[in-house]
Amino acid sequence: MDNINCDFSPMKKNLENGIKHIIHLLESNLKVLSNQNYCVLGSLENIKNELNTIESTAASYYLNCYLSSFTDTYNDLSSTVQHLSKLKHGALIVVERGDSIETIIQKGTTIGALVTPKLLGSIFYPGNPLHDGAVLIRGNVVVSAANVLPLTNKVFEGRKLGTRHRAAIGISEQSDALALVVSEETGKISLALNGNLYPINTTQPIIF
């Protein structure tokens, strides 16, 4: 990815501190494990809750890192896809870069409004007539919704991809656009770029 901007110092510091705290708690539990008068179950439950918080922070950090090179609305996009992920509301968002994709897609409904989490959340709310297609973002504007994207012809051995994921890969094969996908089945977030699909919520950072 060109010109990756990962200078989110406060967020990175919170992530580092959170991980260190988890390590400290685990080490403390390991020390008292041989003490029959002490039960670690309650402490492990707290650790699990803290891990969920850290995962959310990590997802925000990496999403901001990847998206900041493409649009000033990276914070809104990051929070939106994470919210949709928790609700398991399927979504497909395309961020246009240098290449115009107008001639590649079947254009849907014109929106022409600034990117906001509320707008994107309402578009992808189940039952909304616009939620099945892709949202096109150019700069800081939601250009259109319910767009139909070209599907990839790639065969992925051992992986069954739905239409949203195949469309995300397809548009990234034919342009330099970046596509975000939220699975309505699992809630998992993926990012498509240069014809490849990368999972976001993983223990390993994406390397381009």
Side-chain angles (χ1 to χ4, degrees), residues 15 23 57 61 63 70 84 93 99 101 143 152 183 192-193 207:
L15 185 58
I23 292 173
T57 302
Y61 175 76
L63 278 170
F70 308 119
L84 293 171
I93 301 171
D99 300 338
I101 64 172
V143 177
T152 182
S183 169
L193 186 66
I207 301 176

Side-chain angles (χ1 to χ4, degrees), residues 2 6 9 16-17 23 26 30 32 43 51 60 83 87 122 127 130 134 149 161 169 171 177 190 198 208:
D2 298 330
C6 290
S9 300
E16 289 177 350
N17 290 338
I23 292 173
L26 289 171
L30 189 61
V32 300
S43 179
L51 277 172
S60 297
H83 180 65
L87 297 175
S122 64
L130 304 178
L149 309 183
L161 296 180
I169 297 170
I171 195 64
S190 301
Y198 305 92
F208 294 94

Side-chain angles (χ1 to χ4, degrees), residues 35-119:
N35 185 347
Q36 296 180 356
N37 295 321
Y38 184 85
C39 179
V40 300
L41 289 178
S43 179
L44 290 176
E45 182 66 23
N46 291 333
I47 292 173
K48 184 171 70 174
N49 292 333
E50 289 203 30
L51 277 172
N52 289 333
T53 301
I54 292 174
E55 181 184 31
S56 178
T57 302
S60 297
Y61 175 76
Y62 286 114
L63 278 170
N64 287 353
C65 177
Y66 306 141
L67 292 171
S68 62
S69 299
F70 308 119
T71 173
D72 294 334
T73 64
Y74 57 86
N75 272 321
D76 289 330
L77 289 176
S78 175
S79 61
T80 296
V81 294
Q82 289 185 77
H83 180 65
L84 293 171
S85 172
K86 291 177 181 178
L87 297 175
K88 291 188 178 180
H89 289 178
L92 176 53
I93 301 171
V94 180
V95 180
E96 191 178 73
R97 297 173 65 200
D99 300 338
S100 172
I101 64 172
E102 293 280 359
T103 60
I104 303 174
I105 67 174
Q106 295 179 37
K107 193 169 181 181
T109 301
T110 299
I111 302 295
L114 291 175
V115 174
T116 65
K118 186 174 181 179
L119 173 60

Side-chain angles (χ1 to χ4, degrees), residues 103-179:
T103 60
I104 303 174
I105 67 174
Q106 295 179 37
K107 193 169 181 181
T109 301
T110 299
I111 302 295
L114 291 175
V115 174
T116 65
K118 186 174 181 179
L119 173 60
L120 293 173
S122 64
I123 289 174
F124 291 114
Y125 190 83
N128 188 318
L130 304 178
H131 91 285
D132 274 337
V135 159
L136 170 60
I137 292 176
R138 181 180 297 130
N140 302 328
V141 175
V142 177
V143 177
S144 54
N147 300 291
V148 179
L149 309 183
L151 302 182
T152 182
N153 292 319
K154 276 186 178 180
V155 176
F156 299 86
E157 293 186 11
R159 297 178 66 188
K160 184 178 180 181
L161 296 180
T163 302
R164 282 193 182 92
H165 293 80
R166 300 190 70 85
I169 297 170
I171 195 64
S172 73
E173 288 175 331
Q174 298 189 33
S175 71
D176 65 353
L178 176 151

